[in-house]
Amino acid sequence: MSYYVKSIVPIMESKYNSFTNVEKNIADFFLQNQQKMDFSAQNVARKIFVSEASLSRFAKKCGFHGYREFIYQYEKTFGEKSEVAVNSTRVVLNAYQEILNKTYSLMDDAQITRVVEYLSQADRVVICGRGSSGLAASEMENRFMRVGVDIDSLQDTDRMRMQALFQGERSLVCGFSLSGETKGVLHLLREAHRKGARTIIFTANNKEFFTDFCSEVVLVASLKHLSYGDTVSPQFPILVMMDIIYNNFISHERKVGTELYGDTFCGFEQEKSQRPLRVAAERI
């Protein structure tokens, strides 16, 4: 049976690189912890040699009002991980489930709606990535091309640099980089933004400077701190998010098509109802 639990682990992972050394020490404790204990501020502060004020600042940086709210969510989603897998099949399936739970925790429905609108409005879409992220970019091209999107995927750094010259206000550029450090991808996003294009980065490592040149920062699940993270293909977290966007895109286009059909039908019926009046007037 599938289960989805909101977790603060992917939030800590996505913000990890922006933490101070003290905050990284706190994050490491919660990310690596595998047992239930007294998580009071006093006990944790003593255990990892930080101040209670540091715990409070850390919690707020993770998006919570304070440490008590942070630890409430942490304890709520905390579960001991099984040390022994039944078999190799279950190892892989458990890793997939952990990725799905992380994705669920990072989901921002309002952001997905905006991304779908960008895809619908763009005259041309460019998707780029290197390595496994490049394979995910190619898959996205194949999926969206079939539903009428003018889309192209790039995996070569030189092509990314060349394509940066041809972007404009009607373009949408998406970059796939789990690390958030792929140079070719970042270059294309920066240059496209400078030319007025909308830009989106899909990453597991949120960095503060992304907001300087990205219209949206879409967080995907990190493979770090999984029970069996080395069994999962690196592109899987991106593919999960892509499927969510694709499903929303199809639903959005179907709704738009239905509304357009309705407007056209109403217009046609109105035209028919007014036609006898116009004919009578012409005869007069």
Side-chain angles (χ1 to χ4, degrees):
M1 179 182 294
S2 298
Y3 60 94
Y4 300 100
V5 181
K6 285 285 186 182
S7 170
I8 62 176
V9 169
I11 296 175
M12 289 189 285
E13 291 174 338
S14 68
K15 293 180 177 291
Y16 190 86
N17 289 328
S18 66
F19 290 154
T20 64
N21 288 334
V22 172
E23 291 166 344
K24 286 181 178 179
N25 182 37
I26 297 171
D28 288 339
F29 169 75
F30 288 110
L31 290 170
Q32 296 170 12
N33 175 59
Q34 304 226 359
Q35 60 183 354
K36 295 181 180 180
M37 63 177 72
D38 175 9
F39 290 114
S40 65
Q42 183 179 14
N43 185 58
V44 173
R46 184 174 61 251
K47 191 176 185 66
I48 59 178
F49 306 104
V50 299
S51 67
E52 292 183 35
S54 295
L55 291 175
S56 178
R57 287 193 294 270
F58 172 79
K60 290 178 180 178
K61 198 162 186 178
C62 289
F64 297 89
H65 291 101
Y67 180 74
R68 290 183 64 183
E69 183 183 3
F70 169 88
I71 209 63
Y72 172 79
Q73 187 65 30
Y74 183 75
E75 288 182 315
K76 184 178 179 181
T77 61
F78 185 82
E80 295 185 7
K81 298 176 181 178
S82 175
E83 296 182 0
V84 181
V86 175
N87 52 49
S88 59
T89 299
R90 187 163 180 179
V91 165
V92 175
L93 295 180
N94 285 344
Y96 281 171
Q97 186 64 63
E98 287 189 71
I99 286 290
L100 294 176
N101 279 334
K102 285 188 175 188
T103 300
Y104 179 67
S105 299
L106 293 169
M107 278 297 302
D108 182 341
D109 291 332
Q111 182 180 62
I112 296 300
T113 298
R114 292 194 299 271
V115 171
V116 167
E117 290 177 349
Y118 295 163
L119 283 163
S120 299
Q121 296 166 5
D123 287 344
R124 186 163 184 266
V125 180
V126 175
I127 314 294
C128 62
R130 296 279 295 158
S132 60
S133 294
L135 296 175
S138 178
E139 174 64 15
M140 184 169 181
E141 177 188 3
N142 291 333
R143 297 285 297 279
F144 282 85
M145 179 177 60
R146 294 173 183 172
V147 291
V149 177
D150 184 359
I151 185 171
D152 188 25
S153 63
L154 307 172
Q155 300 185 47
D156 180 76
T157 300
D158 289 338
R159 286 194 64 200
M160 293 179 198
R161 291 185 173 275
M162 285 188 288
Q163 281 295 321
L165 302 173
F166 305 113
Q167 305 310 313
E169 294 181 358
R170 297 294 299 171
S171 300
L172 172 63
V173 177
C174 300
F176 291 165
S177 175
L178 290 178
S179 68
E181 299 175 351
T182 312
K183 292 182 179 179
V185 171
L186 297 182
H187 175 81
L188 177 53
L189 290 171
R190 283 196 183 94
E191 290 302 305
H193 172 77
R194 190 172 64 84
K195 293 177 179 294
R198 282 174 170 157
T199 54
I200 304 173
I201 186 167
F202 293 76
T203 183
N205 291 288
N206 196 2
K207 300 178 185 293
E208 293 182 358
F209 64 80
F210 285 159
T211 57
D212 294 339
F213 56 89
C214 291
S215 308
E216 300 286 345
V217 179
V218 179
L219 297 178
V220 300
S222 171
L223 298 182
K224 295 179 181 178
H225 309 108
L226 291 178
S227 299
Y228 306 98
D230 56 351
T231 66
V232 178
S233 170
Q235 70 194 70
F236 181 68
I238 297 178
L239 292 175
V240 171
M241 185 61 68
M242 185 190 70
D243 283 345
I244 292 171
I245 292 173
Y246 181 79
N247 182 64
N248 278 268
F249 180 84
I250 294 298
S251 299
H252 175 271
E253 291 301 293
R254 187 180 298 117
K255 179 180 178 182
V256 170
T258 301
E259 291 176 349
L260 179 61
Y261 173 79
D263 291 343
T264 303
F265 181 78
C266 290
F268 178 70
E269 288 298 308
Q270 185 177 14
E271 174 75 14
K272 281 180 22 179
S273 65
Q274 293 176 351
R275 191 177 302 161
L277 298 176
R278 288 202 304 271
V279 171
E282 290 171 359
R283 288 177 178 173
I284 293 174

